[in-house]
Amino acid sequence: MQPSQDDLAELIDVVDLRSRLKALTVASDGDGSDSKIRSAVLSMLKTEVKSSRAAVQKKLDEDGGGLLCASRLSCIQDELIRVIYDFAVQHVYRVKNPSAAERMSVAAVGGYGRGTLAPGSDIDLLFILPYKQTPWGEQVVEYILYMLWDLGFKVGHATRNIDECIRLARSDMTIRTAILEARYIWGDKPLFEEMATRFDTEVVSGTSSEFIAAKLQERDERHRRQGTSRYLVEPNIKEGKGGLRDLNTLFWIAKYHYRVDRQADLVKKGVLTRSEYARFAKSEDFLWAVRCHLHFLTGRPEERLAFEFQREIAIRLSYTQHPGMRDVERFMKHYFLVAKDVGDLTRIICAALEEEHVKEPRGKGISGMMRRLRSGRMSSVAKPVKGGPGFVVENNRLNVTTDTIFKTDPANILRVFQLADKHDYNMHPQLTRLIRHSLKLIDSDLKNDPEANRLFLSVLTSRNKPEKTLRKMNETGVLGRFVPDFGKVVAMMQFSMYHHYTVDEHLIRSIGVLSEIERGNSGEDHPLSTELILTLQNRKVLYVAMFLHDIAKGRPEDHSIAGAKVARKICPRFGLKEAETETVAWLIEHHLDMSTIAQSRDLNDRKTITDFANTVQSLERLKLLLILTVADIRAVGPGVFNGWKGQLLRTLFYATEPHLSGGHSKMSHNQTIELAKQDLVAKLDHWSQKDRNAYLKRHYPAYWLRTEPERLLTHAELLHKADKDKKRLAFEVIPRAFEGVTEPNIMAPDHPRLLSIIAGACFSTGANIVDAQIDTTTDGFALDTIFIGRELPDNVDEHRRGERITQLIHKTLRGEERLPEPVSRKNAMKGRVKAFKVATEILVNNSLSNDYTVLEITGLDRPGLLYDLTRSIATLNLNIGSAHISTFGEKVVDVFYVTDLTGQKISNIGRQEIIRERLAAAVGGHVELDPAAPVSRKVHRQAS
């Protein structure tokens, strides 16, 4: 899409610019070689660049045309290069009688050669010479390049004669691609035309298979670097899957193979239909609009659509908020739908190519094209598919015998995928296209057809590779049409750093994770899930619940409750019985419960476990919920599930299991405490009887009830050694590789600020606390067990890291070192976090525990937040019994189990209000060290 002459004239007045530049040389008889004249030329051009780019940005804001913006920038760049070239030739390096060698053609290559430029794009130029370089040619090229560099452009350039261009294009695929897109800008036009003609006859002719193979291999490698999914929530517009580079690759292939100069010519060649070409043009225009806005917004060639830019671009593109979906989420949904269209176009064009090049058996999608194109292998005979009348398989690719197969029996649209899953067939591109053109056959009759639903459920609960088949169903549009509620979340993103993929991609990936667990292919990550999934009475309900668990995202109401309603509506259609439907609905409604309780509640508090058991009610549900939780977290994105989360979930499972299996201990607290003491004493036979008896008296009853046997032994040895060495401070660091944490155990004289000092030391050393257990001995010592996220692979290195942290705690407690004040206030937040708003919420709850008041703090995460919160809690004269820290991207949920200094819950309403006010201020970065300050501020507000 080229701008009109009138449009271009509004952006840059070339005639006037040339006139003003010429005027600079009048006094020197047309000689512009003087350095002062060059400075004046540069200044004039800088002004022109600035004003013309501002005009382009203004037009982009007005008309929103992305491709038009890129073309305008390219046209302006063309005019600047022409002006600089002419000034160099006519006023700086003038030649009265140029020889045959003193000719030159300037060509644009790369993206610039396509006539498109983003505001921050490189300017790629090819200076074409007739023979070898001459001093005149060298000077002119140097003048042009230095002028462009001084104007602030990043210029890629090459100077070659025609023979060199042809020779290098034959041997180097990057150079061949650049010359393929070469476009004449200025200079000697016959020279450019000669190169183009020779390139076409000597390089392109007869080499399309080689070129296509190389380009598709490049594309696959690029996708591996950028991330193989086109549904990453911070996509790379240029290089990512479904981005501009994919469209470029398609056009390179089309131009090279079909010898076309414009995308529109692919319609004439029969490669694309008119509607498919319209999608191509629309996708390209949208991606260019986003890219140009991104470059203008950041002032640099930024290609990653990071969170901090998404909202501003959504506003610039005039997206508005709808119920349940923010403006930025609507914009990103459009982006992912465009990325999906780009994927569709890739398959369509490659299908057309494969009409001419037979596919090799078991070739993996388009990425196997290189082998296929080179093989030239003859096609094997198409064979009927057993159990699928009307379907044939050829070279492991499923196809149909007639284009009317879906009209005759619409259930065949679902049968296609069931056969592909059952036999591990690939889909023939012609079949994929036919399915896409038959989507209108998926009507209410088909959706309610028992056979169609049986086929769908067979795919969903397959023991083969259901993720692969479901993704193909989604890419063809079948999944969203057959399950309309799923169609609503296709390409939907959630504007948060926690979620890595769109909702539909997350749901499909979660089925893949579930299938891996069932096949035992998830390694050592989920030993309990792998063991339990084989004992389930009904695996079908697990797969259906997994598929539907986030299906109500983007609605005004809570997605768990809304999702349960969807399940009750849709499960009978899938053929589930009433009891199965209720189990699925319950799992969806409670799918976040186990993760929330495991990560933010004290699992050693009996009420936590009994309340959870009362919610779950059966051992079968507990198994289902654990497996669903593990798969859900793992499918969120790489690195989200870790050993520590796995350990917390296992702990919650094992603690709850006896309550639901009838094997829960009926022993009294005193009996439980006595048993714990006896087990410990049996392991301390190397102590004296006197030491053993004395040690058992050092702990309060609560300690014996909630501390694990292994940790009881660690604490006993730590305190015993400290007594022998007559130390009042002692530390023991235990790396736990499987859980993904390192555990410093700290013994110190008790005082309210101890956890605050520990949190400050961890903050200063960059350690991330994920959990903490705090106990006090009867003789006035605190025994704190801290769990910090593991960073180093080797246990020895991790142990050394833990010791560095405990050394800082030791020095701080002894007064030898002061902890630094946190510098991370609101104005120092990292860029990505700045893009988000998380409402601060402080909950003070006395019903979650029999012995503690539970403080739950939700807010925007930042470094030093835990340090600030623990300092505030200490100032409020509260004792912390345990702390549980959870982060969900930019959002943090910190939970503290606290009592007052007498060991009682906080029941006074006025004091609860003070706690809320003080902790809300700490989340915002203001730590008040005066205990009376919140009260005085409150009184002041009432007085005013």
Side-chain angles (χ1 to χ4, degrees), residues 546-564:
M546 193 87 257
F547 175 66
L548 298 176
H549 77 273
D550 277 347
I551 204 158
K553 282 278 178 81
R555 304 187 189 197
E557 62 184 312
D558 182 290
H559 81 279
S560 300
I561 295 168

Side-chain angles (χ1 to χ4, degrees), residues 252-272:
W252 290 334
I253 290 170
K255 185 171 185 177
Y256 203 100
H257 184 73
Y258 293 108
R259 306 293 183 90
V260 296
D261 291 320
R262 300 177 306 126
Q263 292 99 321
D265 295 336
L266 292 173
V267 178
K268 297 174 187 173
K269 294 277 184 179
V271 179
L272 296 176

Side-chain angles (χ1 to χ4, degrees), residues 12 61 72 113 129 132 154 215 255 257 295 322 325 343 461 473 582 591 600 610 636 699 716 741 759 937:
I12 182 169
D61 292 336
R72 284 167 178 155
L129 307 173
K132 65 180 182 179
K154 188 177 177 184
K215 288 293 112 183
K255 185 171 185 177
H257 184 73
H295 283 206
H322 283 196
M325 279 189 81
T461 61
M473 288 181 82
E582 275 309 306
H591 77 271
S600 62
T610 54
V636 166
H699 295 289
V741 293
R937 283 205 299 273

Side-chain angles (χ1 to χ4, degrees), residues 370-385:
M370 184 171 72
R371 295 190 311 278
R372 300 197 297 273
L373 295 182
R374 284 177 174 170
S375 67
R377 187 178 298 181
M378 289 302 293
S379 169
S380 62
V381 179
K383 297 175 183 176
V385 176

Side-chain angles (χ1 to χ4, degrees), residues 329-369:
E329 290 171 339
R330 291 186 63 238
F331 157 55
M332 291 306 295
K333 178 165 184 169
H334 187 183
Y335 178 91
F336 292 120
L337 287 171
V338 166
K340 185 173 178 290
D341 280 345
V342 173
D344 292 344
L345 291 164
T346 303
R347 283 184 287 275
I348 289 164
I349 288 178
C350 289
L353 290 167
E354 289 183 40
E355 290 295 315
E356 305 168 43
H357 302 278
V358 176
K359 188 166 185 174
E360 190 171 303
R362 295 271 171 183
K364 188 181 177 184
I366 300 159
S367 58
M369 173 92 63

